[in-house]
Amino acid sequence: MSKVAIIGYGTVGSGTVELFMKNRESISRKVGKDCDIKYILDLRDFPDSPFADRMIKDFDTILNDDEVTVVAEVVGGTTFAYDYTKRLLEKGKSVVTSNKALVAAKGAELIKLAKEHKCNYLFEASVGGGIPILRPINKCLAGNEILSISGILNGTTNFILSKMIKEQMSFDDALKMAQELGYAEADPTADVEGEDACRKICILGSLAYGKHIYPEMVHCSGITRITLDDVEYADNAGYVIKLIGSVKKLEDGKLKAIVCPRFVPKTNLLASVDDVYNAISVVGDGVGNVMFYGQGAGKLPTASAVVGDIIDCLKHPRTVLAVNWEDSEDKSFVVPYKQTNTSVYVRIQADNAEALKGSLSEMFGKLMYIERAGRPENEIAFITPTMKEADIDDNLTILSHTAQIKSKIRIYQ
Ligand code: HSE
């Protein structure tokens, strides 16, 4: 008999228990022996749960039970979760998790600790919810040099943007709905300000390039300043606005990593990814462009990835599954984004907006101006040519003396 423990009985934890118990027979067949959940740790009481007899409040019960070899940490956060994970790995118990905050902050350390104690730290559920993405990068695509990874990595913001664009729902109502559906983080600021997507691009980049990319190394902005005017300009120019996380290998071998809203061409597959769905494009030097698509958040999709990791650990006891991800003293392998090239959409307002077009051309070169129905006379919107972002920002600083810069959104290239 193989025994599993679950730490945290929130959205993902309860989904993990539900899916595991529903499919326990087939899971046991796949593992090759009888499998069961022995403990569910949560400080709250769940007297009506069908699994009330497995509920405990004391972590040491799990830590000191030799029968438990695999633990799912689905409690979230980086305090208790970090402490519990370290102590479990030090005991040689494998830990699987959906906790992207912890993986992004401590992944290199916890993977090393797991290796030293001949167990595993697996985190498929930390990126893309139910989408299998980390194993494909780590295994199936291992023969490639990864040239870039980019995509929609946050279900909540994609849900909000879809509702705003397609149903003219307000930002606040859409966010409330995403929270009710169990998509959003405990503090949804992490979703809407791009921090959650940032953690995920750090995890993807660290796995693909073998060096820990910390969230502090990645420029990150969210969707809170996007207006319906921007949405309309994007639409008229042939784009939709999506929050995109990306990491790209540059010609000198260094990496560019960034999370921000982007104008995505309607012809790109990412443009048609709506609601809670995520999609991740991985470009390898052999395989070309591979796209992964599925539900990026929610109880059972995320549980699907957690249970998959549990099964992998149960099937391979005392086997360390190879993960290429180490810490690096030198952090200069990620370049400052301002030193890289981009093209941006800009919306400005000024009393003499039309008269500014001459100096705009001198600053940026040939611009593509965009129209929208009812555009006020004091507003113009345009897309710049591709140029160094620091130069774009210098120009916008000069421009800000005569106009209000209302929006700057990068174009997806
Ligand atoms: N809040 C996250 C999202 C949950 O919306 O994508 C899944 O990681």
Side-chain angles (χ1 to χ4, degrees):
M1 173 76 90
S2 288
K3 295 285 174 79
V4 175
I6 312 290
I7 300 183
Y9 198 58
T11 303
V12 181
S14 59
T16 300
V17 173
E18 183 182 327
L19 191 68
F20 189 100
M21 296 311 286
K22 176 169 168 272
N23 297 333
R24 194 165 82 85
E25 266 185 36
S26 71
I27 289 171
S28 297
R29 242 188 349 266
K30 286 168 193 164
V31 171
K33 56 185 163 184
D34 206 15
C35 302
D36 202 359
I37 292 174
K38 186 164 184 181
Y39 304 115
I40 302 165
L41 176 76
D42 202 294
L43 296 180
R44 297 164 295 178
D45 291 315
F46 297 92
D48 301 329
S49 162
F51 311 108
D53 58 331
R54 298 160 209 234
M55 298 282 180
I56 57 165
K57 294 186 194 296
D58 175 30
F59 170 70
D60 285 346
T61 308
I62 296 173
L63 189 67
N64 296 324
D65 188 332
D66 290 341
E67 219 184 3
V68 174
T69 54
V70 180
V71 180
E73 180 275 293
V74 280
V75 74
T78 52
T79 52
F80 294 116
Y82 178 44
D83 178 51
Y84 290 165
T85 302
K86 274 203 302 190
R87 289 165 68 194
L88 289 163
L89 294 174
E90 280 162 0
K91 272 258 183 174
K93 296 184 194 292
S94 287
V95 177
V96 310
T97 190
S98 58
N99 187 342
K100 51 259 154 138
L102 185 59
V103 180
K106 303 285 182 190
E109 178 191 334
L110 295 171
I111 289 165
K112 185 163 174 270
L113 195 61
K115 267 186 205 157
E116 285 166 4
H117 293 274
K118 301 204 171 19
C119 55
N120 286 291
Y121 183 55
L122 301 184
F123 37 87
E124 184 65 65
S126 66
V127 180
I131 307 172
I133 177 66
L134 302 187
R135 258 182 203 71
I137 289 177
N138 201 36
K139 293 190 172 180
C140 322
L141 300 175
N144 291 260
E145 273 300 312
I146 301 297
L147 305 178
S148 68
I149 304 175
S150 58
I152 296 165
L153 301 172
N154 182 270
T156 300
T157 45
N158 205 47
F159 182 86
I160 293 172
L161 287 173
S162 301
K163 291 284 172 205
M164 283 174 72
I165 294 169
K166 302 216 154 145
E167 297 173 29
Q168 282 71 50
M169 191 180 274
S170 75
F171 180 94
D172 289 339
D173 285 351
L175 172 58
K176 195 159 163 273
M177 210 167 161
Q179 286 176 297
E180 281 162 9
L181 289 165
Y183 301 156
E185 297 303 296
D187 175 2
T189 314
D191 294 297
V192 298
E193 294 298 353
E195 292 156 24
D196 179 76
C198 180
R199 291 165 186 153
K200 291 166 178 167
I201 203 66
C202 288
I203 296 170
L204 290 165
S206 301
L207 260 189
Y209 298 107
K211 289 181 182 176
H212 195 134
I213 302 172
Y214 290 90
E216 303 75 51
M217 295 157 72
V218 177
H219 176 72
C220 169
S221 58
I223 64 163
T224 48
R225 283 183 297 279
I226 290 171
T227 66
L228 288 174
D229 296 341
D230 298 322
V231 168
E232 198 177 336
Y233 278 121
D235 186 37
N236 289 347
Y239 298 92
V240 286
I241 301 176
K242 295 284 182 191
L243 182 68
I244 303 285
S246 59
V247 57
K248 186 175 182 179
K249 196 167 190 173
L250 303 174
E251 273 175 14
D252 62 1
K254 293 194 173 185
L255 303 178
K256 173 179 181 176
I258 184 165
V259 173
C260 58
R262 286 191 187 264
F263 271 32
V264 177
K266 287 179 188 171
T267 48
N268 189 293
L269 279 179
L270 292 176
S272 51
V273 174
D274 285 328
D275 298 324
V276 74
Y277 282 83
N278 284 191
I280 304 150
S281 148
V282 181
V283 181
D285 61 353
V287 73
N289 190 353
V290 192
M291 187 76 91
F292 298 83
Y293 172 82
Q295 291 187 61
K299 182 172 162 166
L300 290 176
T302 311
S304 157
V306 175
V307 174
D309 276 351
I310 292 175
I311 294 171
D312 213 357
C313 291
L314 292 174
K315 272 175 85 169
H316 303 104
R318 291 173 297 282
T319 307
V320 178
L321 306 166
V323 180
N324 170 37
W325 174 339
E326 288 175 358
D327 218 345
S328 157
E329 285 274 305
D330 179 13
K331 308 282 188 257
S332 66
F333 63 94
V334 175
V335 298
Y337 74 99
K338 286 210 178 202
Q339 298 311 318
T340 64
N341 288 339
T342 191
S343 155
V344 298
Y345 148 88
V346 179
R347 180 166 63 92
I348 63 170
Q349 285 180 350
D351 290 339
N352 58 346
E354 288 296 325
L356 287 174
K357 283 187 172 173
S359 34
L360 287 174
S361 300
E362 276 171 30
M363 285 176 175
F364 294 104
K366 195 167 164 37
L367 296 174
M368 180 185 135
Y369 287 97
I370 321 173
E371 278 302 330
R372 73 174 167 97
R375 173 177 68 83
E377 270 182 20
N378 71 342
E379 180 174 276
I380 46 178
F382 56 87
I383 293 175
T384 70
T386 298
M387 54 202 289
K388 198 200 271 188
E389 183 144 2
D391 294 339
I392 293 178
D393 285 351
D394 286 348
N395 287 338
L396 292 180
T397 304
I398 296 168
L399 192 59
S400 68
H401 298 304
T402 44
Q404 274 186 293
I405 316 293
K406 303 301 279 187
S407 308
K408 171 195 160 193
I409 302 177
R410 296 172 187 86
I411 310 296
Y412 182 79
Q413 291 170 310

